[in-house]
Amino acid sequence: MTVQAGVLRTIAGIVNSVETLEGEGFLVRRPFPKSSFSAFDPFLLLDELGPIDLKPGQAKGAPDHPHRGFETVSYILDGRLQHKDSEGHAGLLNPGDVQWMTAGAGVVHSEMPEAEFTRTGGRLHGLQLWVNLPQRDKMIAPRYQEIPAAQIPVAQTPDGSVTVRVIAGEALGAKAVIETRTSIIYLHYTLQPGAAIAQPVPQEYNAFAYVLDGSGLFGTEQEPGTDGQMVIFAQDGDEVAIANPAHAEQPLDLLLIAGVPLNEPVVRYGPFVMNTEAEISQAIEDYRNGRMGRIHV
């Protein structure tokens, strides 16, 4: 059956995030992967770091570690993070900034709190999404797209009740400046009490919402979802419905993320994501033998 434009999707499920320790011991909330839910092609992982208020000297990060075969999208809401890698790249992410890193053939990467932020402390809140690369792109040269907050397109409904930051894809007439290897939608929506939105998402895309703050109603069933939950949409329509009830006491803050499934074999080992066990073994060997380089101070 062909789905006509304007058909709203139903809800396929709601997943609670779990808490886990990463890097030097910082706490993250993770809706996937976990033992009860791991596959969401083409997405491999979503981590929410914080929000947490840190005292001076408490900030921790992820020291030198390798990546191969996928992309990482770092989105900072509060705090400041310093990035360095074995390709000689160094960057600073401030609140609202986005880094879309294509690891490709492989890099050694460091993600640490900025020195002054570590010294003074403050509020830290960020997200990292891992996006799988198609087989044809697994071994492409690494590259970075670092977009400062001021360059992320922002759009609103005419009444100002819905605001969206367009990290990837298009929403409310605004188009992202980031280029992606496959078709990806990555939107940061804020809905005031009583507001609703129907976001176009092609039927063939896997799509989910991750609630950052507040509680909302999702899909044709108006299924409730609250902060720390991942709401998965079925592939039975071409629009995703989201609403913040009129009686809500606060705005609804969420990510809406969608992408075309790659439908390719996935073999994962730590920070390596390839298509075969042999490719994973090669990645491990290349890293151990220094072929991914090292970070120079």
Side-chain angles (χ1 to χ4, degrees):
M1 180 180 69
T2 301
V3 177
Q4 301 299 317
V7 178
L8 295 176
R9 294 187 180 210
T10 60
I11 300 301
I14 295 181
V15 177
N16 292 317
S17 58
V18 298
E19 293 187 345
T20 183
L21 293 176
E22 294 296 316
E24 296 180 312
F26 56 86
L27 191 67
V28 302
R29 292 199 296 184
R30 177 177 294 166
F32 72 98
K34 57 183 183 180
S35 58
S36 60
F37 178 66
S38 59
F40 201 72
D41 190 6
F43 306 108
L44 301 163
L45 172 148
L46 178 66
D47 277 350
E48 181 182 13
L49 171 59
I52 184 171
D53 294 309
L54 300 167
K55 295 179 181 179
Q58 284 188 333
K60 298 179 180 180
D64 304 8
H65 57 284
H67 291 303
R68 174 176 282 181
F70 62 98
E71 302 182 289
T72 62
V73 187
S74 299
Y75 180 30
I76 304 303
L77 301 177
D78 291 293
R80 297 186 302 279
L81 291 181
Q82 186 77 48
H83 289 249
K84 295 181 181 180
D85 78 4
S86 55
E87 294 283 305
H89 175 82
L92 176 65
L93 294 180
N94 291 292
D97 293 352
V98 175
Q99 181 195 72
W100 199 294
M101 182 188 79
T102 304
V107 294
V108 178
H109 196 217
S110 171
E111 304 159 278
M112 301 296 292
E114 185 262 344
E116 182 63 15
F117 179 78
T118 300
R119 187 185 70 81
T120 62
R123 190 171 182 80
L124 183 62
H125 191 193
L127 297 117
Q128 190 167 86
L129 175 71
W130 289 17
V131 184
N132 199 10
L133 282 170
Q135 188 172 24
R136 66 178 184 273
D137 291 338
K138 288 290 189 186
M139 297 296 286
I140 62 174
R143 76 161 181 169
Y144 287 82
Q145 296 177 82
E146 289 191 337
I147 313 299
Q151 294 182 20
I152 300 293
V154 179
Q156 283 188 327
T157 53
D159 64 0
S161 64
V162 178
T163 302
V164 61
R165 302 191 78 222
V166 185
I167 297 170
E170 187 173 352
L172 297 180
K175 189 174 182 179
V177 298
I178 288 175
E179 300 174 358
T180 62
R181 302 301 302 184
T182 59
S183 296
I184 300 294
I185 294 171
Y186 190 138
L187 308 172
H188 181 179
Y189 266 112
T190 302
L191 283 72
Q192 300 301 320
I197 193 73
Q199 169 65 40
V201 176
Q203 183 186 8
E204 67 271 19
Y205 283 37
N206 280 337
F208 71 93
Y210 180 73
V211 184
L212 297 170
D213 198 20
S215 298
L217 302 173
F218 298 85
T220 58
E221 310 95 326
Q222 293 197 314
E223 189 78 18
T226 191
D227 63 292
Q229 289 186 327
M230 173 184 179
V231 181
I232 304 171
F233 296 94
Q235 290 180 316
D236 57 358
D238 57 9
E239 287 188 344
V240 167
I242 302 167
N244 192 8
H247 59 76
E249 297 181 354
Q250 66 183 82
L252 171 63
D253 203 25
L254 61 93
L255 303 179
L256 178 59
I257 297 174
V260 178
L262 300 180
N263 296 318
E264 295 177 351
V266 176
V267 182
R268 299 177 56 170
Y269 181 80
F272 306 127
V273 183
M274 303 301 290
N275 297 102
T276 67
E277 293 285 354
E279 291 169 335
I280 289 290
S281 296
Q282 186 65 56
I284 296 170
E285 180 182 340
D286 288 347
Y287 172 60
R288 288 176 176 172
N289 291 330
R291 298 189 190 111
M292 293 184 190
R294 62 185 181 88
I295 298 174
H296 297 280
V297 178

